[in-house]
Amino acid sequence: MTSYPPRQLPSSTPKMSQRKERRMFSTSDDSAMTKQVQATHAPDGRDIDVKPILQIVDEILVRFIARTVEGHDVRRDQDALEMTAALAEFDMLDSLAYIINKISCELSCKCSGGGDAHSSTMVLLNYMSSYAWHAKVVLTLAAFSVIFGEFWLVAQLSTENTLAKSVALLKQLPDIAENFMSLKPHFEALIRLVKAAMDVTMCIVEFKELPSEYISEDTPPMSVASTHIPIASYWVIRSIVACASQIASLIGTRNESISSATEAWELSSLAHKVTSIYEHLKKQLHLCYQYIDDKRHVEAYHNLIRLFETVHVDNMKILRALIYAKDDILPLVDGTTKSRVSLEVLRRKHVLLLISDLDLSQEEILVLDNLYKDARTRADTQYEMVWVPIVDKAVWNEVNKQKFEYLQSLMAWFSVCDPFIIEPSAVKYIKEVWNFSKTAILVALDPQGRLSSPNAVHMIWIWGNLAFPFTSEKEESLWKQEIWSLELLVDGIDPTVLEWMTEGKLICLYGGEDLEWIEKFTATALNVAKVGNLELEMAYVGKSNAKERMQKMIKTFMSRKFSYFWPNVTSIWFFWTRLESMLYSKLLHGKTVENDEIMSEVMTVLSFDGSDRGWTIFCRGATEMARAKGDTAIECLSKFDEWGPRMDEEGGFVPAMNNYLNTNKPPHHCNRLILPGSTGGIPQKVVCAECGRQMEKYFMYRCCVE
């Protein structure tokens, strides 16, 4: 047997090819080439469904190669088998078979003759001038699939099939099994280039299939892509020409020793070029999808606005737009059974949407749980509640997922099964129209989906289920029935204090976290009660926004027994939250400290809470109250021997204490009112509780790590 030297491509050396590739990447060359490529383009408007062709091409060039050449185990599932059966009946291939065969012949002829790759590519582009860009690249890939498929069938079957062996001998094709190791780098480089060409082709097809109602050819993301698609198509077709040349180069190599280094390097260089094009097109495609999503979200947002302006027979259109519009999943979790349910469970019912992030506190959940279960037992307050979690996908991780599931497990009411089924348009509406930022809100909807309240949380904290159906009119009606009283201050928190009130006892509520002041104040107050023969009950109400510190204070009160206290932080949290809700509810109804006594008194108590020392309110009955803070309170009680004897003539302990405080106001004071900025509107004017002058406004940013 005659031996032959290793076969090399005669066209170029690696250095010559490198210089050639540098020119290939040249911007000026690409610009000139773009004009040349564009000149071949004269589409006649014919429309081709290229997806089925791509599926067949993928089966031949990607799946088959992976199974055979690369040795991957790509198992075809039932869907793939059904797809193959469906493609067998694809009628459009009848009309395209001729053009695919023609391109295949052109590829074989041009590549077998060792012609210039650019010239061969331009011939093919001219031949396909009447087709759209996406059709050109798909048809070229299909034509190459025919070439590769025929080559591989003959080469692989030649060892066991007489006909295949005869064809292989006539073509002098190499024995693949015998030459596998020398051919492997050759085919691996070819595979990389084919995959890169397929990636770019899929991108071009995706651009073609973008919905024209949301993005047009002259829209910046699309217009930029459109300028690159012709040259991208050129490089895809040129890549296929290179691949076909490599297949053609194997003809006549049966008895030759095959060296693939140069061929593999050239294919790899071309793959690098095509991959760069793919990365650029992929970025543009992402921008197009982003633009389309934005347009869809804006459209859905305005649709939501129109829905709330329209009268409906029930609430389903509104709830579907806000929570989930499709029917493919059950979007809610029933808090009682923990099973998935549809939105139908809310049809024609009053619905409270609990909207929050994942920082919803257990205190909020506990209070809402009591109210929700209480409503279940009443015939006149039937409503459903749904937790709508607003979560930023960018910070979603396993920790937040577990936090979401934990909060969901605590809820007896319905909740959205997955935060990300809520459309961005609904999130935008919730934030921009209902002003949700961070603090939880309760949006009330009536059985027809009409908005009863954009945030019923304040009236619910103040009156609970008495505020049903949570309308502004109901809120105003409830305020008309209220006066500033001990009952309003502690209603729904602690029945013990209200029992003291009905028994006519003198009641002292006090707060703060200065232990030195608390010890001195409680001792002084108890001494006054003993000296004045007063039936005094004292209750510690803590401090706002200090959960961890209040837990420590509760332990201290348990051991040192200063007085009666609330044994859980939920009661303390609820006391201060109700006061803040009273303030914001009054603000929403246009009240001011000058024309509303309740608002004035609430702001006074809140300003006491902002002080460094403690504070106190003495009460007898529903409406008698005397208040003081810090050292003023202790000094007043210490001087009980001065004003105590006048109690009978001045109407009792509380009036006498008020008279003393009014006639002995300290010359200097510094009051602070700290309001959480995320809860609601900040009052424009705040009057000092002690002197009546308008307080200065400052902005405070606080981070309290307890």
Side-chain angles (χ1 to χ4, degrees):
M1 181 74 67
T2 306
S3 62
Y4 295 90
R7 195 170 191 265
Q8 303 282 350
L9 279 179
S11 58
S12 62
T13 66
K15 285 186 178 180
M16 288 170 60
S17 295
Q18 200 168 15
R19 287 195 294 271
K20 182 179 176 183
E21 287 302 320
R22 279 201 294 268
R23 290 197 299 273
M24 184 189 300
F25 282 80
S26 165
T27 303
S28 59
D29 283 358
D30 266 6
S31 177
M33 191 185 298
T34 300
K35 293 177 182 177
Q36 192 178 0
V37 170
Q38 284 278 25
T40 68
H41 191 54
D44 58 9
R46 73 181 74 184
D47 187 33
I48 297 176
D49 182 8
V50 298
K51 278 295 182 71
I53 304 174
L54 275 174
Q55 287 178 301
I56 298 174
V57 170
D58 180 70
E59 179 65 24
I60 295 171
L61 295 181
V62 179
R63 293 174 183 269
F64 178 76
I65 290 174
R67 285 198 300 272
T68 54
V69 178
E70 294 183 327
H72 295 169
D73 183 17
V74 180
R75 300 182 184 277
R76 290 191 294 176
D77 56 18
Q78 187 61 33
D79 290 342
L81 292 171
E82 290 175 2
M83 180 272 292
T84 304
L87 291 174
E89 301 177 5
F90 181 51
D91 294 335
M92 187 172 282
L93 281 177
D94 293 342
S95 60
L96 295 174
Y98 176 78
I99 184 68
I100 291 172
N101 184 64
K102 179 69 175 174
I103 297 168
S104 178
C105 291
E106 288 287 341
L107 277 171
S108 298
C109 294
K110 296 292 181 186
C111 296
S112 298
D116 175 59
H118 171 70
S119 300
S120 299
T121 304
M122 295 307 297
V123 167
L124 292 173
L125 283 170
N126 277 300
Y127 183 74
M128 295 183 289
S129 62
S130 58
Y131 291 92
W133 292 113
H134 72 294
K136 296 180 202 286
V137 289
V138 171
L139 290 172
T140 307
L141 274 169
F144 174 71
S145 299
V146 172
I147 295 171
F148 179 82
E150 289 175 350
F151 161 78
W152 195 263
L153 281 172
V154 171
Q156 195 175 43
L157 295 175
S158 62
T159 57
E160 57 190 55
N161 183 283
T162 305
L163 178 61
K165 185 175 182 178
S166 299
V167 174
L169 285 170
L170 287 173
K171 288 193 171 187
Q172 286 292 288
L173 295 178
D175 187 314
I176 291 178
E178 186 178 320
N179 296 279
F180 182 76
M181 292 312 295
S182 59
L183 286 171
K184 190 176 181 183
H186 181 102
F187 282 114
E188 284 177 344
L190 185 140
I191 288 165
R192 284 194 293 273
L193 183 53
V194 166
K195 285 182 176 178
M198 281 286 288
D199 286 339
V200 174
T201 299
M202 292 303 296
C203 257
I204 294 171
V205 171
E206 280 193 69
F207 277 115
K208 174 65 178 176
E209 294 180 344
L210 292 176
S212 57
E213 64 268 29
Y214 292 107
I215 189 165
S216 60
E217 289 284 344
D218 55 354
T219 304
M222 188 64 178
S223 60
V224 172
S226 296
T227 62
H228 296 292
I229 285 174
I231 198 66
S233 301
Y234 168 87
W235 284 110
V236 168
I237 296 171
R238 180 155 171 173
S239 298
I240 298 307
V241 168
C243 290
S245 296
Q246 294 305 306
I247 297 297
S249 71
L250 294 175
I251 296 173
T253 62
R254 187 174 185 85
N255 298 314
E256 296 182 16
S257 177
I258 300 167
S259 173
S260 307
T262 304
E263 293 95 322
W265 185 88
E266 290 195 354
L267 290 179
S268 296
S269 298
L270 201 50
H272 178 78
K273 169 76 175 178
V274 176
T275 300
S276 298
I277 292 171
Y278 168 66
E279 293 298 331
H280 178 77
L281 285 181
K282 190 170 66 171
K283 288 176 184 176
Q284 285 303 123
L285 191 60
H286 173 73
L287 291 174
C288 288
Y289 279 127
Q290 198 172 48
Y291 180 87
I292 291 167
D293 284 344
D294 290 344
K295 291 272 284 186
R296 281 177 171 157
H297 296 156
V298 169
E299 182 181 76
Y301 173 76
H302 289 296
N303 180 54
L304 203 46
I305 291 173
R306 286 192 296 273
L307 278 175
F308 273 100
E309 293 171 349
T310 307
V311 178
H312 305 283
V313 294
D314 59 33
N315 54 6
M316 293 312 294
K317 283 186 178 180
I318 294 290
L319 292 173
R320 286 169 69 90
L322 285 171
I323 297 174
Y324 193 67
K326 300 176 187 176
D327 296 317
D328 55 338
I329 64 167
L330 299 173
L332 299 181
V333 174
D334 186 327
T336 304
T337 64
K338 304 305 177 186
S339 60
R340 296 277 288 273
V341 295
S342 74
L343 290 172
E344 283 294 322
V345 297
L346 307 175
R347 185 183 288 273
R348 293 194 182 93
K349 292 182 179 179
H350 288 274
V351 177
L352 280 177
L353 300 176
L354 172 60
I355 300 170
S356 78
D357 58 16
L358 297 182
D359 291 327
L360 189 66
S361 71
Q362 292 192 40
E363 289 75 28
E364 289 170 296
I365 293 175
L366 182 59
V367 174
L368 287 172
D369 184 71
N370 289 333
L371 292 172
Y372 181 72
K373 289 175 179 175
D374 175 67
R376 305 291 90 197
T377 65
R378 298 170 178 262
D380 58 341
T381 57
Q382 289 295 313
Y383 61 84
E384 294 295 348
M385 189 153 59
V386 181
W387 181 38
V388 181
I390 305 299
V391 182
D392 184 358
K393 204 163 190 174
V395 298
W396 185 253
N397 52 32
E398 188 59 31
V399 173
N400 283 333
K401 182 175 180 287
Q402 291 175 6
K403 194 174 183 181
F404 164 73
E405 291 171 352
Y406 173 69
L407 290 173
Q408 195 175 52
S409 70
L410 299 177
M411 298 174 181
W413 49 88
F414 297 104
S415 59
V416 175
C417 66
D418 181 347
F420 303 113
I421 67 170
I422 303 167
E423 289 289 339
S425 55
V427 175
K428 176 182 171 72
Y429 188 90
I430 287 167
K431 289 181 176 180
E432 294 187 6
V433 178
W434 291 338
N435 299 315
F436 169 76
S437 57
K438 183 171 177 60
T439 305
I441 63 173
L442 279 164
V443 176
L445 304 176
D446 75 3
Q448 285 71 46
R450 289 173 300 198
L451 187 69
S452 298
S453 172
N455 190 9
V457 71
H458 301 310
M459 64 179 100
I460 288 175
W461 290 155
I462 300 168
W463 296 288
N465 288 325
L466 289 177
F468 181 83
F470 314 114
T471 62
S472 180
E473 293 76 18
K474 180 67 175 181
E475 185 177 20
E476 194 168 359
S477 170
L478 288 168
W479 272 128
K480 288 178 180 178
Q481 302 169 36
E482 296 289 356
I483 58 171
W484 178 245
S485 64
L486 179 63
E487 187 173 3
L488 176 63
L489 200 55
V490 299
D491 187 32
I493 301 174
D494 186 0
T496 301
V497 176
L498 296 179
E499 286 173 12
W500 295 340
M501 183 188 74
T502 57
E503 292 168 3
K505 294 180 178 179
L506 178 64
I507 300 169
C508 170
L509 302 181
Y510 68 101
E513 55 180 337
D514 185 328
L515 278 173
E516 181 186 351
W517 182 91
I518 289 171
E519 184 175 21
K520 188 173 182 181
F521 170 75
T522 52
T524 305
L526 290 171
N527 183 61
V528 166
K530 183 177 180 181
V531 172
N533 196 25
L534 302 168
E535 195 175 4
L536 175 66
E537 297 287 357
M538 302 181 73
Y540 175 69
V541 299
K543 188 174 180 64
S544 68
N545 302 310
K547 180 179 175 180
E548 298 295 328
R549 300 200 299 276
M550 286 303 99
Q551 286 176 333
K552 293 178 183 177
M553 289 295 287
I554 288 170
K555 291 179 181 178
T556 302
F557 267 72
M558 284 179 176
S559 60
R560 300 183 65 175
K561 303 185 187 307
F562 292 122
S563 71
Y564 176 79
F565 62 95
W566 291 332
N568 59 76
V569 292
T570 301
S571 296
I572 295 172
W573 169 85
F574 195 38
F575 175 82
W576 292 105
T577 298
R578 286 184 75 250
L579 281 171
E580 289 172 1
S581 289
M582 290 178 201
L583 172 61
Y584 289 116
S585 177
K586 287 290 185 181
L587 284 170
L588 289 171
H589 286 271
K591 304 300 181 182
T592 64
V593 291
E594 290 88 358
N595 63 21
D596 192 278
E597 181 194 6
I598 294 177
M599 185 172 177
S600 175
E601 293 294 337
V602 166
M603 290 184 71
T604 299
V605 177
L606 291 173
S607 69
F608 282 176
D609 182 58
S611 66
D612 295 325
R613 305 280 276 172
W615 59 270
T616 182
I617 297 178
F618 281 89
C619 315
R620 189 185 290 278
T623 57
E624 281 189 15
M625 291 190 186
R627 47 181 166 72
K629 69 166 188 171
D631 295 333
T632 302
I634 293 176
E635 184 183 351
C636 175
L637 293 177
S638 300
K639 299 288 181 66
F640 178 70
D641 58 336
E642 295 181 17
W643 55 270
R646 299 194 298 273
M647 284 193 301
D648 291 338
E649 61 185 82
E650 292 183 357
F653 179 89
V654 174
M657 184 178 182
N658 267 329
N659 287 337
Y660 178 84
L661 289 170
N662 289 332
T663 55
N664 293 274
K665 289 183 178 180
H668 305 288
H669 64 267
C670 181
N671 288 340
R672 297 193 300 267
L673 175 63
I674 301 174
L675 302 174
S678 58
T679 305
I682 301 298
Q684 293 301 311
K685 183 180 179 182
V686 177
V687 175
C688 176
E690 293 193 40
C691 64
R693 287 183 295 187
Q694 184 172 338
M695 299 176 78
E696 296 177 81
K697 184 193 292 186
Y698 293 87
F699 291 100
M700 182 179 76
Y701 298 90
R702 187 176 72 165
C703 176
C704 291
V705 181
E706 300 186 20

